[in-house]
Amino acid sequence: MDAKVNSSREEFIEDLIANNFTTFFVATHPKYSTSNPAFRFTPTPVSVAVPYSWSYADARERLMHLSSLLTAEEAERRNINFVNPALKDFMPAAALPTLRGGIQLLLPDEQAYSHRHSANAFRLVFEAPKTGAYTNVEGNRLPMSMGDLILTPNWTWHDHHNEGDSNVIWYDGLDVLFAYWMGGVFYEEMVDVTGDEYQAVLHEADSVTDNFGAGMIHRKSMYPDHIPASDNTLIYYPYSKARQLLSDLAQHGAGDPYEGILVEYVNPVNCGPTFPTMSTSLRMIKERSTVEAMHRTENVLFITMEGSVTFHLPDNQTFTTKPHDVTAIPSWVPYSISNKEQDPAVLFSQSDRPVFEALSFYREEKA
Ligand code: GTQ
Ligand code: FE2
């Protein structure tokens, strides 16, 4: 190719990009190709995010510091969010492309006023007083004890309260990044709708849980496998029941080399995931055992609830976790999880897999 053609091609490309156009040719261009994996179709998914792990001790220290600078009232929600280093410059508070995670604190006698939003959210309790901490979801007082899972589905009113004698700290998981990128975020404060800042307590938690037992089934029994969830009325899953189920399954020899002992929190109406956009599950990895690596099209945040595990990723990257550490695995990144300790480890996970399944983008493959 002569130099003149070459330089006019360069000028053409620069003009195109400067005027907000593009062409497939840029995908193979030495200057532009590397920045454009979404344009040049890759044989398998390449995530915009990177794997990452946040230590609870580091996050908690900053949350406590924040509480000395800001009252719960001033903060609206006093939290520290987990930010994926590859996303921080162009996505708001994203742990993964679709998922937000953070920890939130209420000191004794504090409360966080009622609001509702189109984004689905859940709370997973990390530290709580013996009694007195709760979230009110649509009038239901749902107590917060270590490991309890509380759902605040799309457009449900929720306010948080700490009437106990020590701090309550919980993990907030949301699908709001997905909603944000689609243009689906709506939000409302209760005071603007009703004039009240908080909801009245209309029911206690047993009126929710007594209808559905543990509200969990062994992942292997979920059938059909890929139902998108709609409204889930089971908004409270106490840890004691979930943990007992894992122990029972372990006792009976359950377990899968690629999953460990995996139970999924389900919407009891259709046995589908907890939210249309997010699934939540709890997994036991037995002492001195390893869960083998797979590629999966899901963005998943793991929260170590008990024990310690090591995630093994490509290029010899490893993350070793302690309780309440949060580990992000983007789509298709293969990982194995080993538990080298003398005790079982328990991991909670928050995944956007229901979105992939509903849209027929779900794939998995042994690594
Ligand atoms: O507690 O309602 O971390 O609405 C982000 C958004 C917590 C909450 C978050 C929220 C909440
Ligand atoms: Fe909220």
Side-chain angles (χ1 to χ4, degrees):
M1 186 190 349
D2 69 45
K4 217 165 132 203
V5 171
N6 198 32
S7 83
S8 30
R9 277 189 188 178
E10 292 304 308
E11 273 171 39
F12 174 79
I13 296 265
E14 269 165 41
D15 165 84
L16 208 61
I17 290 171
N19 288 286
N20 304 319
F21 293 109
T22 193
T23 171
F24 198 79
F25 178 59
V26 303
T28 53
H29 190 284
K31 184 167 158 198
Y32 302 108
S33 62
T34 51
S35 63
N36 211 338
F39 197 4
R40 169 195 245 162
F41 298 142
T42 52
T44 54
V46 175
S47 181
V48 292
V50 290
Y52 202 74
S53 198
W54 297 266
S55 117
Y56 181 53
D58 288 352
R60 190 183 189 284
E61 187 187 316
R62 286 163 174 85
L63 186 63
M64 298 313 296
H65 190 178
L66 179 61
S67 78
S68 71
L69 304 171
L70 220 57
T71 65
E73 189 119 305
E74 284 174 315
E76 184 173 326
R77 293 302 197 250
R78 192 202 280 122
N79 70 351
I80 296 290
N81 285 114
F82 303 107
V83 177
N84 194 291
L87 304 176
K88 73 201 294 180
D89 294 333
F90 61 99
M91 290 180 114
L96 282 168
T98 50
L99 302 176
R100 185 194 285 188
I103 52 173
Q104 188 173 160
L105 165 70
L106 285 181
L107 304 175
D109 298 322
E110 286 186 337
Q111 44 195 8
Y113 63 74
S114 204
H115 70 195
R116 63 181 177 179
H117 31 77
S118 54
N120 294 284
F122 67 84
R123 333 276 148 211
L124 179 68
V125 181
F126 281 1
E127 298 178 35
K130 259 205 159 57
T131 59
Y134 66 95
T135 293
N136 186 332
V137 184
E138 293 285 318
N140 297 285
R141 188 211 315 259
L142 307 176
M144 289 181 146
S145 293
M146 196 327 258
D148 289 353
L149 175 67
I150 293 173
L151 308 188
T152 58
N154 187 336
W155 218 238
T156 49
W157 291 113
H158 52 283
D159 39 85
H160 310 299
H161 303 259
N162 186 4
E163 295 165 6
D165 55 12
S166 64
N167 297 341
V168 57
I169 300 180
W170 66 85
Y171 173 90
D172 289 307
L174 296 96
D175 63 6
V176 62
L177 276 302
F178 186 62
Y180 171 72
W181 281 98
M182 293 185 76
V185 171
F186 292 88
Y187 173 83
E188 210 163 64
E189 287 176 8
M190 182 164 246
V191 69
D192 295 332
V193 178
T194 65
D196 295 323
E197 275 189 88
Y198 299 93
Q199 302 172 80
V201 172
L202 303 176
H203 308 284
E204 301 297 335
D206 53 8
S207 74
V208 176
T209 53
D210 285 357
N211 289 327
F212 299 109
M216 301 179 84
I217 59 171
H218 193 193
R219 184 67 171 79
K220 288 195 181 316
S221 323
M222 282 177 74
Y223 181 84
D225 211 358
H226 304 308
I227 304 176
S230 55
D231 298 318
N232 183 0
T233 54
L234 181 55
I235 50 179
Y236 186 52
Y237 304 76
Y239 192 64
S240 53
K241 294 188 183 192
R243 188 63 182 79
Q244 185 62 48
L245 178 57
L246 280 183
S247 296
D248 291 348
L249 286 166
Q251 194 107 53
H252 299 139
D256 180 282
Y258 294 91
E259 292 182 330
I261 304 170
L262 176 60
V263 291
E264 185 152 336
Y265 297 89
V266 296
N267 176 344
V269 173
N270 59 10
C271 266
T274 38
F275 301 104
T277 48
M278 278 190 298
S279 63
T280 49
S281 48
L282 200 66
R283 160 187 342 239
M284 180 187 282
I285 300 171
K286 285 188 168 169
E287 57 274 17
R288 295 180 302 279
S289 73
T290 295
V291 170
E292 308 283 347
M294 292 264 281
H295 299 272
R296 295 183 179 89
T297 49
E298 66 175 338
N299 294 287
V300 57
L301 293 166
F302 285 99
I303 300 159
T304 301
M305 297 301 287
E306 295 178 33
S308 171
V309 294
T310 301
F311 291 83
H312 300 267
L313 297 125
D315 303 323
N316 294 319
Q317 189 177 22
T318 59
F319 300 123
T320 298
T321 67
K322 292 201 190 63
H324 303 153
D325 289 353
V326 176
T327 306
I329 311 280
S331 180
W332 211 248
V333 174
Y335 58 93
S336 68
I337 312 173
S338 62
N339 176 3
K340 304 184 188 84
E341 308 295 320
Q342 308 297 315
D343 295 303
V346 177
L347 304 181
F348 178 94
S349 52
Q350 168 191 3
S351 164
D352 63 3
R353 182 166 154 172
V355 175
F356 286 88
E357 290 181 336
L359 304 179
S360 303
F361 287 137
Y362 188 74
R363 305 264 199 293
E364 57 181 37
E365 200 174 285
K366 286 173 187 166

